[in-house]
């Protein structure tokens, strides 16, 4: 059996596919993964034993400029990604039985599957982007949502129109070129009726929260057996557990001055700091021996040894910290990050920073909440309840679905 997995987005969109690919290979499935050609993503997939099939531009080239991507950039990127999916997936999916797509609105993936007669699955890592009567859509490039409108149904219809404006023209042009009829609603066409949700039910409860009958598998975790760097091990052993501060692969535009604010706030709580450089290139603010800077590191090994994790609120970092039983301070900026910040606060396993730009005072307040014994007790209690087999659950389900589809085509 052969399966192709596809994504375009940050590390949080790629690493789960590496975890799923590893479990599929354990079941004897031949796996191909189409993802952005960033070097660190190739390394992730290499750990899963799967080569990266380049799809679209590198993410770093899009997000790591002097300014955040603009709406104009988004309208230029959307047709580029649609074209890349038709070209790359058409070749990669030849001879496969199923195609699973995730990441930034994967318009084009379902269409390739349709043309080749493959079983298609859309997967997501949170519910934030799925139409719902319970919450409004997030920000998206294009026409603003109706001002003053509070009916979420109306807002989600407007969101569908924004997706059509971004992807509809190029998608239907490529569909016509391969003999397929046009689609009227790109967003719901991509979601395909029954999306898969790769998230834990405690962190991301979904029952009745969206307009879809979701298949919730649990998080797709890529096991990490890498040792921590010797210097970091020595730093951890030299004192009390530090606070980890990092803002992920999408942090090229981290809050201005965040390194100084974070280090000083941690010091005010009597805590040392492990500072993750990330794409923002964060660096220690002085030569004090209470701050240790790291590059890409095994968070699964590190987080159980820290006092708290200060981060941007990506699904992957939130889940890794939760499974480690580490209290969290979430400083959300975009997309699903406010959702994860709210969940951390609701569960009592940390604090949600109010706003995207922390000050010494505001981050100190959040740290005081996260560093209490009561918060740690709740975080560790939750950690004991979180399943870690979500990738295998999804792999078995995909094999079953793909096998049924393959038989139906005989």
């Amino acid at each position: 059996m052969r399966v192709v997995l596809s994504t375009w987005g940050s590390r949080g969109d790629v690493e789960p596919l590496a975890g799923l690919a590893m479990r599929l290979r354990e079941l004897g499935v031949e796996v191909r993964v189409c993802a952005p050609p960033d070097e660190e993503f190739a390394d992730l997939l290499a750990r899963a034993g799967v080569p990266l099939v380049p799809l679209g531009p590198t993410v770093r080239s899009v997000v790591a400029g002097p300014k955040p991507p603009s709406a104009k950039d988004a309208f230029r990127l959307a047709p580029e990604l649609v074209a890349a999916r038709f070209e790359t997936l058409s070749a990669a999916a030849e001879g496969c039985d199923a195609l699973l797509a995730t990441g930034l609105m994967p318009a084009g993936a379902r269409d390739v599957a349709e043309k080749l007669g493959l079983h298609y699955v859309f997967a997501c890592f949170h519910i934030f982007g799925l139409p719902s009567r319970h919450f409004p859509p997030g920000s998206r490039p294009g026409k603003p949502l109706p001002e003053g409108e509070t009916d979420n149904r109306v807002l989600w219809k407007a969101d569908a129109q924004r997706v059509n404006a971004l992807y509809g023209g190029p998608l239907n042009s490529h569909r016509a070129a391969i003999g397929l009829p046009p689609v009227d609603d790109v967003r719901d066409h991509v979601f395909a009726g029954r999306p898969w949700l790769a998230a834990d039910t405690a962190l991301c409860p979904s029952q009745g929260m969206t307009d879809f009958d979701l298949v919730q598998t649990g998080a797709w975790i890529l096991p990490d057996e890498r040792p921590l760097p010797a210097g970091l091990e020595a730093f951890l052993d030299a004192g009390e557990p530090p606070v980890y501060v990092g803002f992920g692969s999408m942090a090229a535009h981290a809050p201005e001055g965040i390194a100084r604010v974070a280090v000083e706030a941690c010091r005010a709580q009597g805590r040392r700091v492990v500072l993750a450089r990330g794409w923002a290139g964060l660096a220690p603010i002085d030569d004090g021996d209470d701050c240790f800077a790291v590059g890409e590191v095994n968070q699964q090994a590190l987080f159980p040894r820290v006092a708290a994790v200060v981060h941007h609120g990506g699904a992957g970092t939130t889940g890794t910290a939760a499974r480690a039983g580490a209290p969290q301070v979430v400083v959300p900026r975009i997309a699903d990050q406010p959702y994860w910040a709210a969940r951390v606060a609701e569960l009592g396993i940390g604090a949600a920073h109010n706003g995207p730009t922390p000050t010494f005072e505001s981050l100190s307040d959040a740290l005081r909440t996260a560093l209490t014994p009561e918060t740690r007790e709740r975080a560790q209690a939750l950690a004991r309840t979180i399943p870690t087999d979500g990738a295998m659950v999804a792999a078995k389900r995909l094999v079953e679905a793909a096998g049924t589809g393959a038989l139906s085509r005989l």
Side-chain angles (χ1 to χ4, degrees):
M1 180 174 291
R2 297 175 181 173
V3 169
V4 62
L5 311 177
S6 172
T7 190
W8 196 92
S10 71
R11 181 187 179 117
D13 296 301
V14 178
E15 186 165 343
L17 285 197
L20 177 59
M22 177 179 285
R23 298 310 180 195
L24 284 166
R25 291 184 70 243
E26 290 175 3
L27 297 177
V29 177
E30 180 183 325
V31 186
R32 302 166 185 172
V33 179
C34 301
D38 296 79
E39 183 177 353
E40 68 179 75
F41 300 160
D43 293 342
L44 280 174
L45 292 167
R47 282 168 42 201
V50 180
L52 183 151
V53 178
L55 188 151
T58 64
V59 176
R60 187 183 286 264
S61 70
V62 174
V63 305
K67 296 181 180 180
S70 65
K72 184 177 180 180
D73 294 327
F75 275 89
R76 183 168 51 246
L77 177 64
E80 182 180 356
L81 289 179
V82 170
R85 291 190 186 102
F86 273 88
E87 179 179 355
T88 301
L89 292 179
S90 293
E94 194 69 45
C96 289
D97 300 293
L99 190 161
L100 181 145
T102 186
L104 181 65
M105 189 57 66
R110 181 181 181 181
D111 315 275
V112 170
E114 182 181 349
K115 180 65 176 179
L116 297 177
L118 311 184
H119 180 76
Y120 169 78
V121 174
F122 168 77
C124 53
F125 308 118
H126 57 83
I127 61 174
F128 186 68
L130 302 176
S132 171
R133 65 182 184 277
H134 298 288
F135 51 81
S139 61
R140 198 187 299 275
K143 184 178 179 181
L145 294 174
E147 188 175 354
E149 180 60 67
T150 59
D151 186 334
N152 287 331
R153 299 288 185 181
V154 174
L155 295 175
W156 281 106
K157 287 181 180 178
D159 178 72
Q161 293 170 2
R162 293 189 301 183
V163 175
N164 282 346
L166 275 165
Y167 297 98
L171 178 68
N172 283 325
S173 176
H174 284 279
R175 282 179 63 87
I178 59 174
L180 296 177
V183 296
D184 297 326
D185 186 330
V186 175
R187 188 193 65 198
D188 287 0
H189 170 74
V190 169
F191 294 166
R194 202 176 188 206
W196 289 14
L197 174 60
D200 175 67
T201 55
L203 291 173
C204 186
S206 64
Q207 188 68 34
M209 291 300 295
T210 80
D211 293 349
F212 294 96
D213 179 20
L214 299 177
V215 175
Q216 189 159 7
T217 65
W220 301 346
I221 303 165
L222 176 66
D224 197 340
E225 305 298 332
R226 296 173 298 161
L228 295 176
L232 178 56
E233 283 280 8
F235 180 79
L236 293 170
D237 291 341
E240 292 297 313
V243 172
Y244 171 93
V245 178
F247 290 89
S249 65
M250 293 300 282
H253 306 284
E256 185 176 355
I258 184 59
R260 177 169 295 279
V261 168
V263 170
E264 291 179 347
C266 291
R267 284 172 172 170
Q269 304 303 313
R271 296 289 179 170
R272 303 181 302 150
V273 183
V274 172
L275 186 65
R277 297 186 188 94
W279 285 8
L282 302 184
I285 61 175
D286 54 35
D287 58 1
D289 62 4
D290 62 345
C291 183
F292 190 91
V294 296
E296 203 280 314
V297 70
N298 181 351
Q299 294 180 344
Q300 294 173 24
L302 175 59
F303 284 2
R305 302 176 64 179
V306 302
V309 176
V310 179
H311 64 101
H312 57 303
T317 308
T318 304
T320 302
R323 291 189 296 273
Q328 307 181 46
V329 173
V330 183
V331 184
R333 291 177 68 80
I334 60 172
D336 58 316
Q337 296 168 9
Y339 172 81
W340 295 112
R343 287 300 298 150
V344 164
E346 289 165 5
L347 290 165
I349 61 173
H353 185 269
N354 183 20
T357 307
T359 63
F360 169 80
E361 292 78 12
S362 66
L363 192 57
S364 296
D365 286 344
L367 278 168
R368 278 191 284 270
T369 296
L371 292 171
T372 63
E374 295 79 12
T375 300
R376 175 161 286 276
E377 288 172 7
R378 286 190 292 268
Q380 293 183 337
L382 178 67
R384 292 190 289 269
T385 71
I386 299 177
T388 58
D389 63 345
M392 182 57 81
V393 170
K396 290 179 177 178
R397 190 177 189 104
L398 189 57
V399 166
E400 181 180 2
T404 300
L407 288 173
S408 70
R409 294 192 298 274
L410 292 178

